Amino acid sequence: MNSITDYWQLILTVARSFTLVDAIDVVAVTLLIYSLIKLVRETRSGQLIKGLVLFIAIFIISNFLQLQMINTVLSYIFQFGFIAVLIIFQPEIRKALEQLGRSNVSKSIADVVTSKDKEENKKQLRKLIVSVAEATQALQQLRMGALIVFERKTKLNEIIETGTVVNAEPTGQLIANIFFNKAPLHDGAMVIRGSKVYAAGCILPLTKNDSLSSSLGTRHRAALGISEETDAVVVVVSEETSQISVAVNGLLSRNYNRESLINILEGYLIPKSDEKSEGKLSLSFLKRKNNDEH
């Protein structure tokens, strides 16, 4: 009974000394741990974490049983463990930092632009989107493939360097001509920066998702790959099926026509004043994806 009383007194003492700074500290650590767990669950690093935990368990057991040789070997390994973790989890760390860079802070800074500039920018983006929709419709009818990447907050300089800089005003004819199967730049991705066709013939990283359907070709895997690593919106026209697809955040939705493609691209590329509409758009994207999978 005395131990219970002492324990209760300790809790009350800690509660009385708990300040606002302590609360902020606890919340920050909780969010950090939650983010790390979420990052691990969303990537293939889960198995690596299990292996690391097993390593630590073996080290503790060897230390307890005084297995000197195993303990010595593991001690040397753990001396360089931090560097090894950085190397092994480099893709995950990079992804986390990129997601941090896409936070609402940068969005707030962008909102300083005047309303006149915003309206002009929206007009140019709508023209661009219509041009892309017209081009994809023409390529769909000709059964020619296309891979179009819309750059957003994450800059794609490394991807652009693998292709040829075009920096041209967008038209449906220009975009379709680039992907014409006899054109020199057709076998690669087009990168849209701002409201211009900035580069073509670019090489994209393939997705690391091993559970994809075997029916998805290289274009779709490249679209998913760049959408996993960046916040880009990617449009794919299949050469085999003539289907138009869109990849965002590692998710692929399919069976778009001219009108539905314009709607989805406007939702992702043209700034919204109402954040709720963005949420509805993401929900509709997921519903479309689920329907396509079934």
Side-chain angles (χ1 to χ4, degrees):
M1 193 67 184
N2 290 333
S3 60
I4 295 175
T5 305
D6 293 339
Y7 185 70
W8 180 250
Q9 290 296 330
L10 178 62
I11 293 175
L12 290 177
T13 303
V14 172
R16 290 193 192 100
S17 61
F18 197 76
T19 63
L20 179 61
V21 175
D22 296 323
I24 294 173
D25 191 22
V26 170
V27 170
V29 172
T30 303
L31 290 174
L32 179 61
I33 294 173
Y34 171 76
S35 300
L36 289 174
I37 294 173
K38 185 180 177 184
L39 182 64
V40 168
R41 290 183 63 183
E42 290 177 351
T43 62
R44 297 185 300 172
S45 57
Q47 299 300 322
L48 295 174
I49 291 291
K50 291 178 183 178
L52 188 60
V53 170
L54 181 61
F55 233 109
I56 295 171
I58 293 173
F59 178 73
I60 294 171
I61 293 170
S62 67
N63 193 38
F64 178 76
L65 298 177
Q66 297 183 349
L67 303 175
Q68 296 299 328
M69 185 172 290
I70 295 177
N71 199 40
T72 302
V73 171
L74 292 177
S75 297
Y76 280 117
I77 292 174
F78 284 136
Q79 286 180 11
F80 304 97
F82 180 72
I83 297 174
V85 167
L86 288 179
I87 294 171
I88 292 172
F89 294 102
Q90 184 267 338
E92 284 75 19
I93 294 171
R94 178 175 176 177
K95 182 179 178 180
L97 292 175
E98 286 178 348
Q99 288 176 347
L100 183 64
R102 298 177 210 156
S103 64
N104 289 330
V105 175
S106 57
K107 184 179 178 182
S108 299
I109 295 172
D111 287 342
V112 177
V113 182
T114 62
S115 58
K116 183 179 179 181
D117 291 337
K118 284 182 180 179
E119 287 304 317
E120 183 63 28
N121 186 43
K122 287 181 181 180
K123 187 184 297 184
Q124 292 175 351
L125 284 173
R126 287 193 179 96
K127 177 185 175 184
L128 165 68
I129 290 168
V130 170
S131 298
V132 169
E134 290 175 351
T136 54
Q137 186 179 37
L139 292 167
Q140 185 182 37
Q141 293 171 354
L142 295 170
R143 299 187 72 86
M144 292 182 183
L147 186 55
I148 303 171
V149 182
F150 291 87
E151 181 186 70
R152 294 205 283 178
K153 291 179 182 177
T154 305
K155 297 303 177 184
L156 304 176
N157 292 333
E158 294 179 3
I159 301 298
I160 289 169
E161 288 174 359
T162 65
T164 302
V165 175
V166 179
N167 198 19
E169 292 293 332
T171 63
Q173 293 87 344
L174 171 68
I175 297 170
N177 283 338
I178 287 176
F179 287 108
F180 181 68
N181 57 15
K182 302 297 182 183
L185 297 177
H186 84 280
D187 195 15
M190 173 185 291
V191 176
I192 305 290
R193 170 173 285 179
S195 56
K196 289 190 175 183
V197 176
Y198 193 78
C202 300
I203 300 172
L204 303 182
L206 298 181
T207 179
K208 297 180 176 64
N209 188 348
D210 298 326
S211 61
L212 291 176
S213 170
S214 58
S215 63
L216 293 178
T218 306
R219 281 193 179 90
H220 293 88
R221 293 176 185 274
L224 286 170
I226 193 65
S227 72
E228 288 168 355
E229 296 186 8
T230 71
D231 63 345
V233 177
V234 191
V235 175
V236 189
V237 180
S238 173
E239 192 172 350
E240 290 77 19
T241 64
S242 296
Q243 282 188 352
I244 299 174
S245 307
V246 177
V248 183
N249 296 327
L251 300 175
L252 185 72
S253 60
R254 310 174 76 176
N255 297 322
Y256 285 92
N257 55 32
R258 183 181 183 278
E259 289 71 25
S260 60
L261 181 63
I262 289 174
N263 290 335
I264 195 75
L265 291 179
E266 284 186 351
Y268 277 111
L269 301 175
I270 297 179
K272 300 287 184 182
S273 56
D274 184 6
E275 291 186 2
K276 290 182 180 179
S277 58
E278 247 179 67
K280 290 178 181 177
L281 176 65
S282 299
L283 183 61
S284 65
F285 185 92
L286 290 172
K287 284 181 178 178
R288 174 183 280 269
K289 177 180 178 292
N290 291 332
N291 290 335
D292 292 335
E293 287 179 347
H294 294 300

